[in-house]
DNA sequence: GTAGGGTTAG
């Protein structure tokens, strides 16, 4: 048995040794283990602060197991040991263990610090309600909260606050407790006011006024104070309030400036962000990775590629803060900068040069490839990603859909859900887009039903995707009802709805909707004009189209792009106004490119304007000799007037030049001139005869117990535009009509512009069953094989 | 308290 003096000497020695251990230092753990082992060997039972020191070192070096072991060995751990363990468990997110120790501690052993540990644990683990509940329990048991208590409990309150009373009550409690002069408490209180202001249930302006009052009364303000209030204004969309506050700040606190710049970026005010950045540089406020990432993002989204590149060069040249975080986050934003301006390879270069990548880097480069339509590479990135998150899946799903891989997109969406992800709005929007490229009304409706069930159906991007899905699946009415029931709409929604009407031949309704959009104060963008011009073109509204085109720049300052000029040419050509079309080409500010000549050729084909058509085709051969579409259009043009020798000549030309694909007309399989126009959506002199066949066909379908997919065409057209309406539907009408004219047993290949939509699918199934024909339909790289009323799909080559 | 990666419309 040692005597008391020996024990004291030992204890002092151990304490001195453990004092040398710095818990953050990795080697401290082994030193502590050695000291601890020595204690055990020499039969020394650690107590009091020695135990607590060991516990502290163990958990801070991520060795909670040893801490727990020691804790269980000592006979009656004191409040400090218990507090240490509660903190340790909370930091690991293991609230149950922390709570167990907390509950197992008798009241007479507890103190304020003990309570603080548990409250902080709840707060850090985003359990605001438990933190507040414990705070009240603590006061009921007559423990006196201190400034630490309030700091924790206020940050817990900030997580859940949603009414003004909660702010007032807590504010009162702070004042009463005498902690109302402590900076950390006041900052946390300020944060509560600011968070409460963002709640939809309160008046943000009055809350922000209270926050401002508190701010003005604070005895001192640090970086956190300024940043909290500036962020508060930003979150409540009061950019001017935020800026006015920043302008009153005399200290050069970089974080507050960063918050302001990021506020501008998030509100789309990219120029303001850049101006502020310049001022920041001018005044010598310290720039860090937060500054640069926000500013580069402003360049990426605001059309400032040149400036972004200059920043990139500046960063490389000056080797600014080449620390890990700086390099990582700035490179991530640079990846996005480059691909947004079409420089995917530049983005890839940055990506591969990065010594360390994280999930953001991977998602950024994945988006780049998806956006460039380089899906094979995107798939390979997706497959080799070390980790994925919700965003990864979303990017990939919508990317597949956007690039025409509807089925894969939908499959991936299902896989994602099987993997346990709860899809966000964007993922749903992507899946809905997948349905619309697939033309799968059934899947689209299912998703719609699920969204209603989940209460997700009021989302803007989902609504927008749904409008276009219903339209592209042929159900304009459903598109309209989505549009009308959406709680919020934006210009995308209007564009989608205008397009829906235009696509279905309701040109007049489309232009009326456009006018209504203007009345409601929504500004049209370049896509609105593309949509409106298409609608006019498909419905023969030539003068209206001309007027809208002119108003583009005159009234809205939008410079027409080549695509707008191409629409005008389309508009005039469909109406047979070739001199107007030529005038458009002559009036163009830059050299007309392929889309222009393509539109002209397509127009010439409709009306059999051979000379002009050949001229356009020659231009196209010059510009893109390997583009099979030109050969297709040209041979269609000849086929339309029965010049079969010329058709053969074009085919030979194509073969001689080594162009791979076959012309997109089916006359080789079936010697049937009619079929040629059936595969695209142009006005054709013979189109009215389709109408008669349609009526026959729908009668036959009804007799066989099917609902004809053409019903809305027959009943829903505007009578004065009947033939145009039909023309826009000919993609679908083609199916029925073409097959009726075919000899039994023929194999049909429909090569071009045919979108296999849901109704179309049904019509094919019907035809293959009732008329007993085998049908192969090619849709891009996919084929759909219909036989005996069933369909199998696959890749064509 | 500040940052970087996404969506829908033609």
């Amino acid at each position: 048995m040692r005597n008391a003096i020996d024990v004291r000497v030992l204890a002092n020695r151990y304490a001195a040794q453990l004092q040398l251990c710095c818990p953050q230092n990795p080697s401290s753990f082994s030193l502590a283990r050695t000291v601890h082992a020595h204690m055990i060997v020499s039969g020394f039972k650690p107590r009091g602060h020695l135990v607590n020191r060991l516990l502290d070192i163990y958990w801070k070096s991520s060795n909670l197991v040893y801490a727990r072991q020691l804790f269980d060995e000592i006979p009656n751990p004191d409040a400090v040991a218990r507090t240490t363990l509660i903190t340790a468990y909370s930091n690991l997110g293991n609230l149950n263990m922390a709570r167990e120790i907390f509950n197992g501690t008798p009241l007479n052993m507890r103190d304020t610090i003990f309570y603080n540990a548990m409250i902080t644990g709840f707060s850090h683990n985003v359990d605001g309600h438990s933190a507040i509940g414990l705070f009240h329990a603590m006061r009921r048991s007559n423990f006196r909260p201190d400034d630490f208590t309030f700091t924790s409990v206020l940050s817990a309150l900030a997580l859940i606050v949603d009414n003004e009373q909660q702010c007032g009550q807590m504010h009162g409690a702070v004042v009463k407790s005498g902690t109302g002069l402590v900076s950390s408490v006041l900052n946390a209180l300020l944060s509560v006011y600011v968070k409460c202001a963002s709640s939809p249930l309160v008046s943000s302006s009055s809350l922000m006024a209270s926050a401002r009052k508190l701010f003005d009364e604070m005895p001192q303000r640090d970086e956190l104070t300024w940043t909290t209030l500036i962020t508060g204004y930003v979150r409540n969309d009061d950019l001017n309030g935020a800026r006015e506050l920043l302008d009153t700040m005399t200290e050069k606190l970089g974080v507050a400036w960063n918050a302001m710049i990021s506020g501008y970026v998030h509100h789309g005010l990219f120029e303001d962000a850049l101006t502020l950045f310049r001022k920041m540089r001018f005044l010598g406020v310290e720039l860090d990775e937060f500054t640069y990432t926000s500013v580069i993002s402003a360049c990426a989204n605001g059309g400032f590629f040149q400036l972004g590149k200059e920043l990139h060069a500046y960063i490389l040249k000056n080797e600014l803060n080449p620390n890990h975080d700086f390099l990582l986050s700035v490179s991530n934003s640079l990846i996005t900068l480059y691909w947004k301006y079409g420089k995917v390879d530049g983005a890839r270069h940055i990506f591969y040069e990065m010594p360390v990548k994280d999930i953001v880097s991977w998602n950024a480069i994945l988006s780049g490839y998806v956006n460039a339509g380089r899906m094979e590479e995107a798939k390979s990135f997706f497959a080799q990603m070390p980790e994925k998150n919700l965003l990864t899946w979303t990017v990939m799903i919508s990317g597949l859909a956007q690039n025409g891989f509807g089925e894969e997109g939908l499959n991936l969406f299902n896989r994602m859900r099987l993997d346990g992800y709860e899809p966000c709005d964007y993922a749903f929007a992507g899946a809905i887009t997948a349905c619309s490229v697939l033309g799968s009304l059934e899947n689209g409706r299912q998703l719609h039903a699920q969204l209603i069930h989940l209460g997700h159906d009021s989302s803007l991007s989902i609504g927008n995707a749904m409008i276009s899905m219903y339209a592209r699946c042929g159900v304009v009415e459903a598109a309209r009802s989505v549009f009308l029931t959406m709680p919020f709409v934006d210009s995308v929604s209007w564009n989608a709805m205008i397009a829906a009407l235009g696509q279905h031949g309701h040109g007049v309704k489309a232009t009326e909707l456009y006018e209504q959009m203007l009345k409601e104060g929504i500004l049209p963008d370049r896509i609105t004009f593309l949509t409106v011009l298409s609608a006019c073109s498909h419905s023969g509204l030539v003068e209206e189209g001309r007027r809208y085109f002119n108003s583009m720049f005159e009234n809205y300052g939008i410079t027409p792009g080549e695509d707008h000029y191409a629409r005008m040419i389309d508009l005039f050509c469909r109406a047979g106004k070739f001199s107007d079309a030529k005038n458009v080409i002559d009036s163009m500010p830059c050299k007309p490119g392929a889309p222009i000549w393509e539109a002209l050729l397509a127009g010439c084909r409709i009306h059999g304007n051979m000379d002009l058509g050949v001229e356009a085709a020659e231009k196209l051969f010059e510009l893109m000799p390997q583009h099979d579409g030109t050969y297709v259009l040209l041979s269609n043009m000849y086929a339309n007037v029965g010049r079969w020798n010329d058709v053969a000549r074009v085919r030979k030309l194509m073969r001689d030049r080594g162009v791979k694909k076959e012309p997109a007309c089916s006359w080789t399989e079936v010697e049937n001139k009619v079929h040629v126009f059936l595969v695209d959506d142009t006005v054709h002199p013979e189109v009215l005869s389709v109408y008669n066949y349609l009526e026959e066909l729908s009668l036959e379908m009804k007799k066989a117990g099917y609902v004809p997919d053409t019903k809305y065409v027959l009943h829903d057209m505007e009578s004065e535009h009947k033939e145009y309406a039909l023309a826009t539907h000919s993609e679908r009408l083609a199916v029925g009509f073409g097959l009726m004219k075919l000899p039994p047993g023929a194999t049909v290949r429909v090569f071009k512009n045919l979108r296999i939509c849901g109704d179309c699918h049904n019509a094919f199934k019907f035809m293959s069953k009732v008329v007993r024909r085998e049908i192969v339909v090619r849709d891009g790289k996919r084929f759909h094989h219909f036989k005996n009323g069933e369909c199998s799909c696959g890749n064509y080559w």
Side-chain angles (χ1 to χ4, degrees), chain A residues 533-546:
Chain A
L533 293 176
S534 284
C536 291
S537 170
H538 279 88
S539 296
L541 304 171
V542 179
E543 290 316 310
E544 289 84 346
R546 200 197 295 268

Side-chain angles (χ1 to χ4, degrees), chain A residues 110-117 119 138 143-146 149:
Chain A
R110 300 181 184 185
D111 57 16
T112 296
I113 302 174
F114 176 77
Y115 272 98
N116 288 352
I119 291 174
M138 171 186 183
F143 287 95
R144 205 183 144 76
D146 62 8
T149 323

Side-chain angles (χ1 to χ4, degrees), chain A residues 435-730:
Chain A
C435 295
S436 55
V437 302
L438 266 178
S440 171
L441 186 57
E442 224 169 281
N443 282 317
R445 279 190 171 140
Q446 259 176 35
L447 283 174
H448 192 173
Q450 287 171 24
L451 285 162
I452 291 172
H453 184 71
L454 290 169
H456 247 320
D457 57 323
S458 59
S459 145
L460 188 60
S461 38
I462 289 177
N464 292 342
M466 210 123 66
I467 294 173
S468 119
M469 183 273 292
Y470 278 122
R472 287 164 80 168
C473 289
V475 200
V476 212
E477 257 322 298
R480 213 174 82 90
S481 89
V482 170
F483 179 71
L484 291 178
T485 52
M486 280 168 71
F488 306 103
V489 290
D490 63 0
S491 68
V492 177
S493 330
W494 286 92
N495 291 348
M497 196 56 225
I498 294 168
L501 293 168
Q503 283 158 1
H504 285 80
H506 308 302
V508 176
K509 285 186 190 161
T511 54
E512 282 169 1
L513 194 64
Y514 169 70
E515 301 289 345
Q516 195 189 329
M517 168 181 159
L518 297 183
K519 268 191 215 135
E520 300 202 4
I522 313 280
L523 281 178
D525 56 21
R526 45 185 311 284
I527 291 173
T528 317
F529 282 105
L530 285 177
T531 310
V532 170
L533 293 176
S534 284
C536 291
S537 170
H538 279 88
S539 296
L541 304 171
V542 179
E543 290 316 310
E544 289 84 346
R546 200 197 295 268
R547 195 157 49 77
Y548 291 133
F549 181 79
N550 291 333
S551 76
M552 238 177 111
F553 186 76
E554 281 167 22
N555 300 345
Y556 303 101
I558 302 169
T559 316
E562 192 171 27
D563 37 3
H564 294 99
Y565 284 103
R567 296 289 152 102
M568 287 310 285
I569 290 161
D570 188 56
L571 171 78
F572 288 130
C573 287
R574 279 174 195 258
K577 294 178 178 283
F578 288 98
S579 61
D580 286 292
K582 286 218 75 165
N583 285 340
V584 170
I585 296 180
D586 294 338
S587 74
M588 281 178 66
C590 50
K591 203 165 166 248
I596 302 296
W597 300 116
E598 215 162 2
L600 187 66
L601 174 56
C604 292
R605 177 201 46 177
I606 300 165
H607 289 281
N609 187 337
M610 296 297 165
D611 295 341
L612 201 54
V614 169
E615 195 188 318
E618 273 163 7
K619 295 275 188 196
L620 281 168
F621 287 145
E622 253 173 56
L623 287 167
M624 20 181 223
Q626 294 298 308
H627 179 61
D628 66 325
T630 313
Y631 300 88
V632 172
L633 283 173
L634 192 60
S635 65
N636 272 352
M637 182 172 81
Y638 287 125
N640 275 351
V641 292
R643 285 167 60 172
W644 304 108
N645 290 339
D646 286 313
V647 172
R649 192 170 52 76
V650 174
R651 287 206 67 171
K652 185 170 181 306
L653 193 67
M654 189 174 171
R655 276 199 305 274
D656 293 347
R657 290 183 182 173
V659 180
K660 283 287 178 304
K661 290 182 195 165
E662 287 181 58
C665 56
S666 51
W667 58 272
T668 48
E669 327 291 339
V670 186
E671 296 238 341
N672 184 337
K673 184 171 80 105
V674 175
H675 204 82
V676 174
F677 84 87
L678 291 175
V679 296
D680 46 49
D681 63 342
T682 50
V683 181
H684 192 279
E686 291 181 59
V687 83
L688 279 175
S689 62
V690 179
Y691 190 72
N692 303 329
Y693 271 104
L694 267 172
E695 284 192 322
E696 279 176 35
L697 180 66
S698 58
L699 273 177
E700 200 182 319
M701 284 178 86
K702 276 180 195 158
K703 265 191 245 160
Y706 286 84
V707 180
D709 70 305
T710 52
K711 63 177 188 296
Y712 55 89
V713 183
L714 297 171
H715 300 302
D716 212 25
M717 285 185 311
E718 294 168 51
S719 55
E720 72 268 39
H721 295 296
K722 192 181 279 176
E723 63 268 48
Y724 293 112
L726 272 172
T728 59
H729 280 85
S730 61

Side-chain angles (χ1 to χ4, degrees), chain A residues 129 164 206 287 424 672 716:
Chain A
H129 291 285
E164 207 163 341
S206 89
L287 310 170
C424 60
N672 184 337
D716 212 25

Side-chain angles (χ1 to χ4, degrees), chain A residues 49-256:
Chain A
H49 69 277
L50 276 180
V51 167
N52 296 332
R53 182 71 186 159
L54 278 170
L55 290 176
D56 205 44
I57 295 167
Y58 283 157
W59 84 264
K60 282 185 179 157
S61 57
S62 311
N63 290 289
L64 184 53
V65 183
Y66 292 109
R68 182 67 206 217
Q69 224 171 28
L70 176 60
F71 183 82
D72 288 339
E73 281 164 9
I74 45 181
N76 190 17
D78 62 10
V80 181
R82 291 162 190 263
T83 305
T84 306
L85 231 62
I86 288 174
T87 309
Y89 279 121
S90 305
N91 274 30
L92 284 175
N94 193 342
L95 278 186
N96 285 338
M97 292 301 281
R99 210 195 291 250
E100 201 184 297
I101 293 171
F102 182 87
N103 290 338
T105 305
L107 211 57
N108 61 12
M109 212 180 200
R110 300 181 184 185
D111 57 16
T112 296
I113 302 174
F114 176 77
Y115 272 98
N116 288 352
M118 196 62 232
I119 291 174
T120 309
F122 284 130
S123 172
H124 283 173
N125 287 283
V126 211
D127 186 352
H129 291 285
S130 301
I132 308 282
L134 189 57
F135 170 71
H136 290 308
M138 171 186 183
R139 295 218 297 182
R140 278 196 304 274
S141 307
N142 291 324
F143 287 95
R144 205 183 144 76
D146 62 8
D147 49 342
F148 289 101
T149 323
F150 275 107
T151 309
S152 285
V153 93
L154 284 165
S155 62
L157 180 60
L159 299 168
I160 55 168
V161 65
D162 63 2
N163 69 63
E164 207 163 341
Q165 283 80 28
Q166 293 168 317
C167 300
Q169 278 169 8
M170 204 53 92
H171 195 158
V174 166
V175 173
K176 215 172 138 196
S177 73
T179 58
L181 291 173
V182 181
S183 291
S184 65
V185 174
L186 289 175
N187 282 338
L189 185 60
L190 186 66
S191 170
V192 169
Y193 276 110
V194 160
K195 287 274 169 53
C196 188
S198 317
S199 160
L201 305 169
V202 302
S203 141
S204 67
S205 55
S206 89
L207 254 300
M208 282 310 292
S210 309
R212 184 53 188 262
K213 188 161 171 284
L214 175 64
F215 176 90
D216 289 335
E217 288 166 0
M218 277 167 75
Q220 65 234 9
R221 298 173 197 98
D222 58 14
E223 203 169 40
L224 183 58
T225 324
W226 286 96
T227 312
T228 304
L229 194 58
I230 288 173
T231 311
Y233 282 119
V234 167
R235 295 257 163 92
N236 288 289
D237 303 321
D238 183 2
L239 277 290
N240 291 332
R243 183 53 188 268
E244 278 161 23
L245 182 63
L246 181 77
D247 288 340
T248 65
M249 188 175 80
T250 48
E251 305 98 307
K252 292 174 182 171
L253 305 175
V255 181

Side-chain angles (χ1 to χ4, degrees), chain A residues 13-69:
Chain A
R13 192 192 301 158
Y14 288 136
Q17 285 169 342
L18 289 178
Q19 207 57 47
L20 295 173
C21 305
C22 162
Q24 277 74 27
N25 183 339
S27 65
S28 68
F29 169 67
S30 48
L31 184 52
R33 276 310 279 167
T34 315
V35 175
H36 193 177
H38 196 272
M39 292 178 186
I40 295 167
V41 171
S42 58
F44 177 86
K45 297 246 183 287
R47 282 193 338 210
H49 69 277
L50 276 180
V51 167
N52 296 332
R53 182 71 186 159
L54 278 170
L55 290 176
D56 205 44
I57 295 167
Y58 283 157
W59 84 264
K60 282 185 179 157
S61 57
S62 311
N63 290 289
L64 184 53
V65 183
Y66 292 109
R68 182 67 206 217
Q69 224 171 28

